[in-house]
Amino acid sequence: MAYSMAIRVCKTAYLNGTIEVQGSKNTVLPIIASTILTDGISVIHNCPDITDVHVMCELLKILNIKIFYDNHVLVINTSNIAYAPLPYELTCRLRSSVLLLGAMLGRWGRAEVGRPGGCTIGTRPIDIHLEGFCRMNADINLNDSLLCCQSFQLKGCDYKLRYPSVGATENLLLAACGAKGTTTLRGVAKEPEIIELCNYLSAIGVVIEGIGTDVLNINSPNYLKNADYINVYDRIVAGTYMLIASAIPSDIILTGIDDVHYIKNIIKVCARLGLNVAGANNTLRIRSFGDVIPGDFSTGTYPEFPTDLMPVLIAILLNAGGNSSVTETVFENRFSVVDELKKMNGRLCVKDDTVHIKRTERLSGNVVLATDLRQGAAMVAAGLMATGCTTVMDVSYIERGYENIVRDLSNVGAKISYI
Ligand code: EPZ
């Protein structure tokens, strides 16, 4: 991870080379949280070197968990784990801190956890998480900065989520590991991150039926063992580079794509945009002439196109040979990319939940802000396409999830550097 203030990115004519895709942020964070349910040493391989992972580890240390991180290997020793409240000052630095509620409830039947933070992309309520905990027999107490949950005995229940929330599914899975009897969760999220978490929980001894479907049945023994985990590649990071390669003449190899199935939805959209994608032996070769095909796109829950790639998709559609639109269906306020792209002369506007994008021949470099993780990546993508150079400020947002976007894009010949 490179701690820096800004990224300078200049128009780049051709991208060629290899990018090793980092491990997945949104997969590894719930798995780190779930080690709270175990006693002993767990080793997580291919763990990305990003701020969100390091803050999560700081939170675990408050529970007297020993952490060792080196070269993408995270060792977590829960042998002397002890209950403690988790302060808002740290929990507010990432969204996934909310998962510590479920993990602590599952382990101790109680949790006092500061409210979560994360990217400002909508109101991001947690009513589904809390309703599910209540259905498992937990009492909830909330104030402005602290979430408190307590249960004399968590009990299995039959609960239907009103929306397939990724975070709520993960949190309820973790709490269900401490519940007596069977927990049935209906209408759950089916994202690859959920499948990986279910597989990990199965490895530590939880019995889960229905993995990959929208109904999960969970039964947990009293004692859970340790298990090591090899993290999957980050499908959103891979997708970011695929979208960029659609808009700039490219011949790139992405390595580390150990399960191509998880990225099929993204490949489908990139193919529509004109990207040629060929996969073999955990790699993807992505090639294009940089002629983006315009179209109308929509985000959705898995296996639809992920909302996390929406800002990058919008940026690269400015290069398309006609008018396009992108409709966002997951978050109600994820359009900060529009104002920043306008500063680069981008011709686009928001109407309701849809961004309308016109081909922008005069996209030009400027000083712009990263306002959240994926929007920041979109501004880097725009900088590669725009005439002149662009300075993207507030890089700390990007470093929450991209290990080193400058290193990755430099490796394929992009004119990009930290300043
Ligand atoms: C996860 O966020 C990801 N974050 C997000 O990625 C991703 O955009 C999102 O899932 C959707 O795929 C992590 O995994 C850490 P949700 P999460 O709960 O769990 C509403 C990134 O850039 N909702 O599925 O917070 C909510 O308001 C991040 O890496 C409720 O109404 O997403 C939203 O509209 C950003 N009540 C929708 O559901 C609830 O209790 C989806 O949210 C929970 C959610």
Side-chain angles (χ1 to χ4, degrees), residues 295-297 310-311 313-315 317-318 323-328 334-339 341-342 347-358:
D296 299 313
F297 300 88
M310 182 265 294
L313 175 62
I314 289 171
L317 284 170
L318 293 168
N323 295 349
S324 303
S325 71
V326 181
T327 300
E328 164 65 5
R334 204 174 189 173
F335 298 128
S336 61
V337 72
V338 172
D339 283 343
L341 288 174
K342 279 184 182 166
R347 297 167 67 209
L348 72 175
C349 65
V350 187
K351 196 158 183 285
D352 302 324
D353 56 0
T354 300
V355 178
H356 300 272
I357 306 134
K358 290 189 172 156

Side-chain angles (χ1 to χ4, degrees), residues 50-355:
I50 52 175
T51 331
D52 274 16
V53 162
H54 297 303
V55 177
M56 190 64 138
C57 289
E58 288 308 307
L59 283 160
L60 261 56
K61 284 181 190 169
I62 296 172
L63 303 174
N64 209 31
I65 295 173
K66 297 275 177 293
I67 301 281
F68 175 78
Y69 182 80
D70 186 42
N71 197 18
H72 300 121
V73 178
L74 177 65
V75 181
I76 302 177
N77 184 347
T78 55
S79 304
N80 296 313
I81 188 170
Y83 180 86
L86 299 178
Y88 175 71
E89 293 68 41
L90 269 182
T91 59
C92 71
R93 291 180 57 196
L94 83 162
R95 182 70 188 169
S96 293
S97 58
V98 76
L99 302 179
L100 298 168
L101 267 183
M104 289 170 75
L105 256 184
R107 169 142 200 149
W108 291 294
R110 67 177 173 134
E112 292 148 282
V113 176
R115 282 188 182 268
C119 291
T120 38
I121 51 181
T123 50
R124 306 189 82 177
I126 54 166
D127 57 301
I128 304 171
H129 307 229
L130 300 178
E131 188 180 56
F133 294 150
C134 285
R135 294 291 297 276
M136 289 183 200
N137 199 35
D139 293 325
I140 314 282
N141 252 305
L142 311 176
N143 68 34
D144 283 351
S145 61
L146 203 63
L147 310 165
C148 306
C149 302
Q150 190 151 12
S151 175
F152 177 67
Q153 172 64 67
L154 284 178
K155 291 184 182 148
C157 66
D158 190 328
Y159 176 59
K160 179 163 183 354
L161 285 67
R162 70 166 170 78
Y163 180 90
S165 154
V166 174
T169 303
E170 293 165 346
N171 232 340
L172 298 177
L173 268 163
L174 295 174
C177 295
K180 201 169 177 183
T182 305
T183 304
T184 301
L185 300 175
R186 300 178 194 275
V188 297
K190 290 181 283 191
E191 268 67 4
E193 294 74 33
I194 304 293
I195 297 176
E196 290 294 316
L197 177 61
C198 286
N199 288 340
Y200 183 72
L201 293 176
S202 304
I204 64 175
V206 185
V207 180
I208 305 180
E209 288 167 9
I211 299 175
T213 73
D214 47 21
V215 181
L216 295 172
N217 281 303
I218 304 125
N219 269 290
S220 185
N222 287 335
Y223 175 78
L224 294 171
K225 55 184 188 260
N226 294 99
D228 293 348
Y229 175 68
I230 301 176
N231 191 20
V232 291
Y233 67 97
D234 195 306
R235 63 193 177 101
I236 304 301
V237 171
T240 300
Y241 298 143
M242 289 167 71
L243 289 170
I244 289 174
S246 310
I248 294 173
S250 300
D251 187 352
I252 297 175
I253 306 281
L254 298 179
T255 65
I257 312 295
D258 39 24
D259 190 341
V260 82
H261 190 70
Y262 284 164
I263 206 176
K264 282 216 162 122
N265 53 347
I266 299 169
I267 292 178
K268 202 165 132 194
V269 166
C270 288
R272 256 182 81 188
L273 293 165
L275 187 72
N276 184 299
V277 183
N281 304 328
N282 293 357
T283 65
L284 286 182
R285 183 175 182 189
I286 51 178
R287 284 177 294 170
S288 88
F289 295 110
D291 302 322
V292 180
I293 301 167
D296 299 313
F297 300 88
S298 177
T299 65
T301 55
Y302 191 81
E304 302 301 321
F305 186 74
T307 167
D308 290 346
L309 285 174
M310 182 265 294
V312 188
L313 175 62
I314 289 171
I316 67 114
L317 284 170
L318 293 168
N319 240 12
N323 295 349
S324 303
S325 71
V326 181
T327 300
E328 164 65 5
T329 69
V330 180
F331 291 102
E332 77 283 6
N333 183 18
R334 204 174 189 173
F335 298 128
S336 61
V337 72
V338 172
D339 283 343
E340 291 308 300
L341 288 174
K342 279 184 182 166
K343 291 184 189 166
M344 300 173 71
N345 293 333
R347 297 167 67 209
L348 72 175
C349 65
V350 187
K351 196 158 183 285
D352 302 324
D353 56 0
T354 300
V355 178

